[in-house]
Amino acid sequence: MSKSRIFAALLGAVSVTATAVQAEELTIERLLGSPGLSGPTVQGLKLSPDGKRVTFLRGKEENQSQLDLWEFNVSTGNATLLVDSDTLLGGETEQLSEEEKARRERNRSLTGKSGILSYFWSDASDTLLFPLGGDVYVLPLGGTLKRLTKTPAYETDIKFSPKGNYVSFIRDRELFVVDVDTGAEKQLTTGSSDTVANGMAEFIAQEELGRYTGYWWSPDETKVAYEQFDESDVIVKDRYEVQPDGGVVTLKQRYPEAGSANVTVRLGVAELASGESHWLPLGDDKDIYLGRVNWTADSSKVVFQRLNREQTRLDMVAAAPKGSSQTLLSETSDIWVNLHNNLNFMADGRFLWTSEKTGYRHIYLHGADGKQIRPLTSGDWVVDEIQKVDTAAGLVYFTGYKDSPIEQHLYAVSLQGGKIDRISREAGWHDVAVGDGIFVDKFSSPEQPPQVLVKSLEDGTTKAAVLANHLDENHPFTPYNDGSVVTEFGTLEADDGSALYYRIYRPATLEPGKKYPAIMAPYGGPHGQRVRREWKLDFNSYLARNGYVVMVLDNRGMWNRGLRFEGQIKNAMGTVEVADQVSGVNFLKGRDYIDGDRVGIWGWSYGGYMTLMSLFKAPDVFKAGVSVAPVTDWRLYDTGYTERYLGHPDAPGDVYNKSSVFPYVENFTGDLLLIHGMADDNVFFDNSVKLMSVLQNSNKPFELMTYPGKKHGIRGGVQVHLYNTAFDFFERKLK
């Protein structure tokens, strides 16, 4: 059987029988270009509300970035194609609006993808909604596909109303609804302009606050809360995109650099019947972030989270659309307040909420008046996300890290608190969707490629396999997991005694007496945990396959270790992170097969910044580094992220200067490969241009690779070129 047919079989069935595939050299092209190397994968996993179907998005055999909608029937065990994106597009290429391109760049899971990227179930589990090509489609199960919009404008952020009677979307910066049965369309907001938008999330909300929508349905479908933002005071930057044809596009982009003005926001409620809007009081302080917005279960109140500019105080406010408001609770921190999505209202008005007030994120039950009733979890470990509240059984299902910071599991706890039961069984990383009596488990471990199983909530046993990957002679990814690379997990001690988790990739067979070059591969920044007990077949394993020892070390400042561990970078970026990476190098040097004089480092984004800071602050440790899309001066980065960690640039002290790379450039004596996309709208190309100039004026040699037309992720076929360039650099500098 050919490889293409094996891939097709793997992508289209629960199990597969095929002839063995002959091993071949693992190249960067093979690593990046084929889904077979790690086995097939799916995304967008959802359970229908009735729990009978599992739906997911899957790439086409010939184009993995173009996604179709599939379903897996739990009772029959069959997977079938529900909607083919090619059929809908009529063979044409999807054309995206500039706003949709920007939205997909902000939401990393959508970047570089096409076809069907999102979809929604009706509460009755009888209809599916999805957007494609800027229009809206609904599919009654067993019925005929219905197109609700066909306009030149691009509809974005498309949603079902809670009961499935309406579809809502944003068009031309205004909020619209469509009656599913009649097709009648209604515009709910007015007043948008080049600087004013209704129902949309602003740049900072999308890029830094993890909020990608700007409107919220009431559960009874009678009202819609919506954000209005005005960005007229936000700095307009000239951003120059150098395109592959050599042309230069000058874009005017409103980009709130650290210390500059943010958007101003208002929160309105539109009534569906009358079309009237009412504005809710957000408080006297106008320089805030609108963190999250929810409704109470009875649709009587909008509950919004107001975060101050310094991100050290969060107020949760319940407001009646035409009445009074009250603050339900407040969170304060001398470090910062992390936003999350763990607010769950119950029918009686009580709600569940997670807080880091003990230093670790845990679940608390609150009364309708906001007062805490009891904690449900506690301890020196972190809750991730509340997955489901079963009030009938009195249970809360959640994911978290009770057993290990590098393993994610599904747990259950009573609404009364007490004993916590672990439901997921296998050691590793579990992403789940929880239904009635079952959960869908997307699981992987260092030994197990990603698989998707339907399991029992009662005891965690498997009921059905949506996607079963196996490492054996019948599967095409086996030749690349042939035992030539081994992975090792462990901890080492930081300067302050903190335990730092690491993952080491190294050749399985070490030649006696041979000294191997080492490469550190950090991300290093907040919320950027990289050491997980999950399947990884990536550039780091490729380096190990070719004679390098690679260490991924999660330094202080990282996620899922508690707020104090994370908060050590407050007002001090580029300090403890570099010290911990040096500790990692010293740890490796304790092994007789490591050549301590040939140590490199590479990273992307914050990891690119880490590469520069390590080369410049520890030149006696790091000989060579590859820095991709780095921040070099935090004054050039945005308000929401930068001020959370470094404060306002005008605050007393020299925090921003000390946290930039430039005070340390004169120390640099090694080798650097600097890489950046020339259309990056997140970490602007300005960052690298400024570094180039300083290095040149300091007579510091370096190598440079730029990618015309590419944004922060530098996605597409040129990634093969990028990784080959990085690999060649290390081959020349460390071997």
Side-chain angles (χ1 to χ4, degrees):
M1 182 183 285
S2 69
K3 285 191 182 66
S4 62
R5 291 187 62 200
I6 292 172
F7 294 156
L10 278 166
L11 292 171
V14 173
S15 61
V16 61
T17 301
T19 57
V21 181
Q22 184 177 359
E24 59 183 271
E25 180 186 359
L26 176 58
T27 63
I28 295 293
E29 288 83 352
R30 297 290 296 153
L31 185 70
L32 299 179
S34 171
L37 298 189
S38 292
T41 59
V42 298
Q43 56 187 289
L45 278 166
K46 292 185 181 181
L47 265 172
S48 60
D50 63 9
K52 294 180 179 178
R53 290 177 169 84
V54 179
T55 44
F56 52 90
L57 302 174
R58 175 182 287 167
K60 291 185 175 296
E61 177 190 350
E62 68 279 7
N63 180 8
Q64 283 294 303
S65 65
Q66 184 177 337
L67 306 180
D68 298 324
L69 182 61
W70 286 68
E71 75 150 338
F72 177 84
N73 191 297
V74 176
S75 59
T76 66
N78 294 324
T80 56
L81 177 66
L82 267 183
V83 182
D84 187 328
S85 57
D86 270 345
T87 301
L88 296 179
L89 289 169
E92 298 180 0
T93 302
E94 184 180 17
Q95 300 298 317
L96 303 180
S97 69
E98 289 304 314
E99 283 185 341
E100 178 64 9
K101 290 177 183 177
R103 190 177 76 91
R104 294 187 184 187
E105 185 68 22
R106 303 283 75 76
N107 188 341
R108 304 292 188 262
S109 65
L110 303 181
T111 307
K113 305 290 177 58
S114 63
I116 301 170
L117 300 185
S118 60
Y119 65 95
F120 304 89
W121 277 103
S122 64
D123 276 359
S125 299
D126 58 1
T127 308
L128 281 160
L129 161 73
F130 54 92
L132 184 68
D135 282 309
V136 183
Y137 300 82
V138 291
L139 176 66
L141 294 184
T144 304
L145 185 71
K146 183 178 182 180
R147 185 173 186 169
L148 289 183
T149 64
K150 190 175 182 180
T151 64
Y154 201 102
E155 284 81 33
T156 63
D157 198 9
I158 300 166
K159 303 177 189 177
F160 254 140
S161 62
K163 297 181 180 180
N165 294 314
Y166 301 95
V167 168
S168 52
F169 53 82
I170 303 299
R171 178 196 294 153
D172 296 329
R173 304 188 130 201
E174 300 287 6
L175 175 61
F176 291 77
V177 297
V178 177
D179 187 298
V180 173
D181 288 336
T182 67
E185 182 177 288
K186 186 173 187 177
Q187 182 174 336
L188 289 185
T189 62
T190 59
S192 66
S193 67
D194 289 342
T195 57
V196 175
N198 289 309
M200 294 176 61
E202 72 275 21
F203 173 88
I204 290 296
Q206 295 184 48
E207 182 64 40
E208 308 302 357
L209 304 184
R211 176 169 64 79
Y212 305 104
T213 189
Y215 72 93
W216 304 267
W217 279 94
S218 64
D220 64 4
E221 292 190 342
T222 64
K223 301 175 283 291
V224 184
Y226 66 94
E227 172 189 2
Q228 181 188 85
F229 71 78
D230 183 344
E231 57 184 350
S232 56
D233 291 334
V234 177
I235 290 174
V236 179
K237 287 193 66 171
D238 288 332
R239 184 165 62 81
Y240 305 98
E241 292 192 356
V242 180
Q243 299 298 322
D245 62 2
V248 179
V249 178
T250 303
L251 297 175
K252 301 286 187 181
Q253 179 174 340
R254 291 190 180 273
Y255 185 90
E257 291 182 343
S260 68
N262 276 320
V263 302
T264 56
V265 297
R266 295 205 292 175
L267 184 60
V269 176
E271 295 184 0
L272 207 63
S274 67
E276 295 180 355
S277 283
H278 310 279
W279 298 107
L280 303 179
L282 293 183
D284 295 334
D285 184 1
K286 304 303 180 184
D287 196 6
I288 61 165
Y289 295 107
L290 183 62
R292 300 286 185 268
V293 178
N294 299 79
W295 284 86
T296 53
D298 63 0
S299 300
S300 65
K301 294 180 180 178
V302 179
V303 179
F304 62 87
Q305 296 174 38
R306 178 181 61 212
L307 185 66
N308 68 343
R309 172 85 179 236
E310 295 76 22
Q311 299 182 57
T312 55
R313 180 184 179 92
L314 181 142
D315 296 312
M316 183 195 297
V317 180
K322 294 182 181 179
S324 61
S325 64
Q326 68 174 119
T327 300
L328 294 178
L329 60 82
S330 296
E331 297 275 345
T332 60
S333 172
D334 59 355
I335 299 174
W336 52 73
V337 176
N338 286 308
L339 290 170
H340 57 75
N341 299 313
N342 294 322
L343 174 60
N344 297 71
F345 281 96
M346 292 180 276
D348 61 4
R350 294 180 301 163
F351 62 90
L352 293 174
W353 169 255
T354 61
S355 170
E356 292 181 289
K357 58 188 173 184
T358 66
Y360 295 88
R361 190 184 313 112
H362 284 291
I363 304 173
Y364 297 85
L365 176 64
H366 289 255
D369 59 0
K371 293 181 180 179
Q372 179 183 311
I373 298 174
R374 70 179 69 93
L376 302 189
T377 63
S378 62
D380 293 349
W381 56 277
V382 174
V383 166
D384 172 48
E385 187 172 354
I386 297 173
Q387 299 291 335
K388 181 181 176 65
V389 182
D390 186 340
T391 52
L395 292 174
V396 178
Y397 296 95
F398 66 94
T399 46
Y401 313 98
K402 183 176 184 296
D403 293 270
S404 169
I406 63 173
E407 290 189 17
Q408 180 168 279
H409 286 283
L410 176 64
Y411 302 90
V413 66
S414 168
L415 279 168
Q416 299 302 315
K419 182 174 178 288
I420 295 173
D421 294 319
R422 176 171 142 186
I423 297 173
S424 53
R425 292 183 166 189
E426 305 87 350
W429 198 269
H430 298 261
D431 287 313
V432 303
V434 179
D436 292 333
I438 61 173
F439 68 101
V440 180
D441 186 7
K442 185 177 181 182
F443 162 71
S444 79
S445 73
E447 301 76 32
Q448 171 62 56
Q451 60 182 11
V452 181
L453 305 174
V454 180
K455 296 182 177 180
S456 166
L457 269 181
E458 184 177 352
D459 58 11
T461 56
T462 299
K463 299 172 71 71
V466 180
L467 189 69
N469 285 335
H470 304 286
L471 286 175
D472 59 44
E473 69 277 4
N474 293 326
H475 290 74
F477 46 85
T478 300
Y480 308 114
N481 192 65
D482 57 3
S484 62
V485 173
V486 297
T487 302
E488 170 193 337
F489 290 86
T491 62
L492 59 90
E493 193 172 283
D495 295 342
D496 69 345
S498 298
L500 307 176
Y501 285 82
Y502 66 77
R503 180 174 187 162
I504 292 175
Y505 304 79
R506 66 167 177 82
T509 303
L510 300 173
E511 297 180 25
K514 181 176 179 178
K515 297 283 190 178
Y516 291 81
I519 296 176
M520 303 298 292
Y523 175 75
H527 295 202
Q529 182 185 15
R530 290 295 182 268
V531 180
R532 300 175 172 182
R533 289 198 60 85
E534 64 181 351
W535 177 266
K536 277 288 186 182
L537 191 55
D538 56 9
F539 185 55
N540 293 326
S541 55
Y542 180 82
L543 288 167
R545 192 181 180 92
N546 286 276
Y548 296 89
V549 176
V550 183
M551 172 181 268
V552 181
L553 177 70
D554 281 350
N555 48 251
R556 285 170 287 174
M558 301 294 280
W559 192 232
N560 292 337
R561 296 291 308 281
L563 194 56
R564 292 295 168 186
F565 184 91
E566 181 185 340
Q568 292 195 51
I569 63 168
K570 184 177 178 67
N571 296 332
M573 280 180 166
T575 57
V576 295
E577 312 101 291
V578 174
D580 289 351
Q581 296 302 319
V582 171
S583 294
V585 173
N586 291 334
F587 177 83
L588 288 177
K589 286 181 179 181
R591 302 187 175 192
D592 58 9
Y593 57 83
I594 297 294
D595 186 343
D597 293 327
R598 292 187 293 155
V599 178
I601 183 169
W602 88 276
W604 201 310
S605 194
Y606 201 100
Y609 165 73
M610 284 285 296
T611 296
L612 296 175
M613 291 296 270
S614 298
L615 286 171
F616 297 171
K617 294 185 75 173
D620 56 329
V621 176
F622 298 98
K623 179 181 179 184
V626 176
S627 175
V628 187
V631 174
T632 61
D633 183 345
W634 289 105
R635 291 178 183 87
L636 301 176
Y637 204 56
D638 67 51
T639 53
Y641 185 93
T642 313
E643 293 176 15
R644 181 188 308 149
Y645 306 119
L646 296 182
H648 195 284
D650 294 339
D654 199 19
V655 172
Y656 274 72
N657 186 49
K658 290 178 180 178
S659 295
S660 82
V661 305
F662 296 106
Y664 316 105
V665 167
E666 287 302 320
N667 300 330
F668 175 47
T669 58
D671 293 294
L672 168 66
L673 170 60
L674 179 64
I675 299 175
H676 215 126
M678 301 181 79
D680 195 329
D681 63 349
N682 177 11
V683 179
F684 282 16
F685 190 52
D686 300 12
N687 284 271
S688 283
V689 170
K690 185 174 180 179
L691 178 61
M692 292 177 215
S693 177
V694 170
L695 288 171
Q696 290 161 354
N697 289 329
S698 300
N699 196 27
K700 301 283 186 180
F702 65 98
E703 297 182 24
L704 175 68
M705 180 58 64
T706 58
Y707 288 94
K710 292 301 178 182
K711 297 190 183 298
H712 193 59
I714 315 182
R715 290 174 173 84
V718 298
Q719 271 204 6
V720 172
H721 183 272
L722 185 155
Y723 283 116
N724 273 323
T725 301
F727 179 71
D728 173 71
F729 174 81
F730 283 132
E731 288 285 276
R732 289 185 286 108
K733 301 301 182 182
L734 295 182
K735 280 191 174 178

